[in-house]
Amino acid sequence: MRPSGSSTSRSRPPISIRAECTPSSQLNKERGIRPSCRFLKKKEVIGILTDQNVDPREGVFAPFFAYPACTTPVLGRLAARDRVPVFGMFAYRLPQGSGFRIEFVPLPDTFPSGDAVADATIMNACMETAIRKAPEQYWWVHRRFKDQPAPRKRPY
């Protein structure tokens, strides 16, 4: 993918890209973080789905639409460890099945902060902003709030 109109400033509006076909790999989280580190070391792009519920032993609880959501801390850890730029990527369906509008949104300069909960809160806030643009397109059926901190009960 080649950015057009990109800038090093994180306060700029989302950038547009022109996508090209490039080989990709799917990483299994059971293999740990090392494969992701190898990709980053080779200056390759990785994608992490941060809107999935994670096991409480692996995640941190951060607000998502004002409700605790067990969120992966791995994105903040990788960004701090490898000093890589981090963007939210959001796909919006176009009318009549005519394709998608892809939006890349830089996370604020405060990311990563070194605080897993603060970083997860930033990621979730970025996602909330994107979802509010087209809430009917978000995949609400996956159980984002499945695990809850004690003494809260599961909402499902």
Side-chain angles (χ1 to χ4, degrees), residues 40-100:
L40 291 173
K41 189 173 185 175
K42 293 188 294 186
K43 307 256 188 251
E44 294 186 26
V45 174
I46 65 170
I48 298 173
L49 301 176
T50 60
D51 71 334
Q52 303 294 306
N53 181 75
V54 296
D55 187 304
R57 295 171 294 189
E58 300 173 1
V60 296
F61 287 97
F64 184 59
F65 289 104
Y67 203 82
C70 198
T71 305
T72 181
V74 76
L75 187 60
R77 289 179 187 156
L78 284 173
R81 178 187 179 277
D82 294 309
R83 294 186 172 94
V84 295
V86 179
F87 295 83
M89 188 205 93
F90 308 100
Y92 300 95
R93 289 186 299 277
L94 297 174
Q96 289 85 41
S98 60
F100 294 87

